[in-house]
Amino acid sequence: MTDDLSGAATQPSEEPVAFDLKGGVAGARRALPIALSVCAYGLVFGVLAQQARLSLLEVLLMSGLVYAGSAQLIVLSLWAMPLPIAAILLTTLIVNLRNLLLGAAISPWFSRLPPLKAYTSIFFLADENWALTMGEFAQGKRNAAFLLGSGLVLYVAWVGSTVVGRTLGDVVHDPARFGLDFAFTAVFLSLLVGLWKGKSDLLPWVVAAIVAVAAAHVLPGKWYILLGGLAGSVAGVVRHAD
Amino acid sequence: MQTSLLALLTIFGMALVTYLTRMSGLWLMSHMTLSTRMKAWLGYLPGTVIVAIVAPTVFSTGLAEAGAALATVLVMARTRHVLLAMIVGVGVVWGLRMLLATLR
């Protein structure tokens, strides 16, 4: 039975889930180094948005209301007059579909919160602060405000840096020049080390990696995250059923 | 560059679509009774999603990324310090890219 639950070790016990300032501040502090790298990308987005002829107000509203880096970047390539609205909305949906998985994974904790707190916090859900929060939960910490606190820091970094990038124009260089593009990967890898629970994770993780690499080769955008994550987690469940 | 009404409506549409993708996973899971199998699936999700996020960068970009990934994981496993692991990863990828560029 213990082995059967190995995959479910990150599930919460019956204890209540906290949501307070302490958790929010802890999340904000953990997000600070990642905010630097978010800023680098925000500047790049701002510069590209200027080239795509978005106004400053449009950049501010898009970053502030949509708040989804990869979707916004891909939409820039579609941004031409007359606006292909249907294509833009469909692209946004497809690029962001992976949020469904993130929301499902975080639901055992967030479904215990009052709806206002849960559905306000979830606006700030992004790959980076979701992963940080799951790392916290995996260590047995149960303060759901961690997602909101870390999310707010990344939100301010994103909105601020995209607006600065749009204003400054092309003064920013390629983040890859300083290895900054690798910062996200490094953070995700560190979190993986903390999430490793033993041999039972091997098969699902290998399946996720193979499917993601293959999908990234043949499909555009972020499909590889959705497909790899689904294939790996389903492989884990199927193996248990045997 | 003037802000057009159509552009604003498009941005509001993007915002709505994005928020729906963020809230649906939580909403669906909160309104279902979860079987043991569903719970096991949720338990596997965080690890497999993160593996899927990093796998293309780590395994099919190049030697610099693969080497930096290895360094990051080793530092994290030894020290359990996320910030240190991140700094080492970024430093190693930067160094290896320069090295590989000069060798070419």
Side-chain angles (χ1 to χ4, degrees):
Chain A
M1 190 62 196
T2 47
D3 182 56
D4 184 49
L5 285 174
S6 56
T10 48
Q11 298 297 307
S13 58
E14 293 307 310
E15 295 165 49
V17 172
F19 190 96
D20 58 29
L21 190 65
K22 212 178 117 213
V25 170
R29 294 180 61 156
R30 286 285 300 282
L32 279 177
I34 307 178
L36 270 183
S37 159
V38 167
C39 280
Y41 276 91
L43 288 171
V44 170
F45 172 81
V47 171
L48 295 176
Q50 187 198 28
Q51 289 162 10
R53 309 190 69 77
L54 267 81
S55 70
L56 185 59
L57 178 66
E58 286 163 355
V59 169
L60 177 68
L61 286 175
M62 194 189 279
S63 293
L65 297 175
V66 182
Y67 178 52
S70 33
Q72 288 179 232
L73 271 166
I74 293 171
V75 161
L76 283 189
S77 61
L78 301 171
W79 201 270
M81 299 301 152
L83 285 173
I85 300 176
I88 287 175
L89 295 186
L90 188 64
T91 305
T92 307
L93 176 69
I94 289 169
V95 176
N96 286 323
L97 263 186
R98 69 185 190 286
N99 286 332
L100 271 167
L101 287 190
L102 310 189
I106 217 163
S107 66
W109 291 270
F110 275 71
S111 59
R112 289 154 191 255
L113 293 177
L116 185 66
K117 286 176 180 169
Y119 289 100
T120 305
S121 302
I122 211 79
F123 172 80
F124 296 95
L125 181 77
D127 295 341
E128 292 80 15
N129 66 324
W130 168 81
L132 287 178
T133 308
M134 292 312 291
E136 287 287 295
F137 289 161
Q139 288 170 28
K141 295 176 189 165
R142 359 192 352 97
N143 203 316
F146 192 95
L147 182 83
L148 180 61
S150 50
L152 279 171
V153 166
L154 300 183
Y155 180 81
V156 170
W158 177 251
V159 177
S161 60
T162 55
V163 165
V164 169
R166 168 64 184 74
T167 314
L168 290 184
D170 38 14
V171 292
V172 205
H173 309 288
D174 181 11
R177 235 181 89 186
F178 303 104
L180 267 179
D181 58 315
F182 195 77
F184 294 113
T185 307
V187 169
F188 287 128
L189 284 169
S190 313
L191 291 163
L192 271 182
V193 173
L195 285 177
W196 175 258
K197 292 184 294 287
K199 266 192 305 190
S200 65
D201 281 325
L202 187 62
L203 173 79
W205 287 22
V206 168
V207 170
I210 292 172
V211 171
V213 169
H217 271 285
V218 293
L219 294 170
K222 297 261 175 182
W223 278 106
Y224 65 93
I225 299 179
L226 192 71
L227 294 174
L230 265 182
S233 52
V234 168
V237 175
V238 168
R239 197 245 337 256
H240 274 317
D242 293 339
Chain B
M1 275 170 251
Q2 223 178 344
T3 302
S4 73
L5 182 64
L6 206 58
L8 290 186
L9 288 176
T10 307
I11 290 169
F12 291 140
M14 288 175 68
L16 185 67
V17 166
T18 305
Y19 183 72
L20 284 176
T21 64
R22 288 193 166 114
M23 58 86 71
S24 314
L26 171 60
W27 191 85
L28 286 172
M29 288 296 160
S30 319
H31 291 79
M32 283 164 67
T33 26
L34 296 182
S35 62
T36 326
R37 197 173 277 202
M38 284 292 260
K39 284 182 184 158
W41 175 68
L42 285 181
Y44 281 118
L45 263 189
T48 55
V49 169
I50 298 179
V51 167
I53 291 174
V54 296
T57 305
V58 172
F59 297 113
S60 61
T61 314
L63 219 53
E65 288 74 16
L70 186 65
T72 308
V73 168
L74 286 178
V75 170
M76 183 62 191
R78 289 293 290 268
T79 65
R80 298 269 154 181
H81 198 297
V82 180
L83 186 57
L84 182 67
M86 187 181 107
I87 292 168
V88 168
V90 169
V92 170
V93 88
W94 180 71
L96 281 178
R97 278 174 188 166
M98 297 238 289
L99 187 71
L100 292 170
T102 52
L103 289 178
R104 210 177 293 146

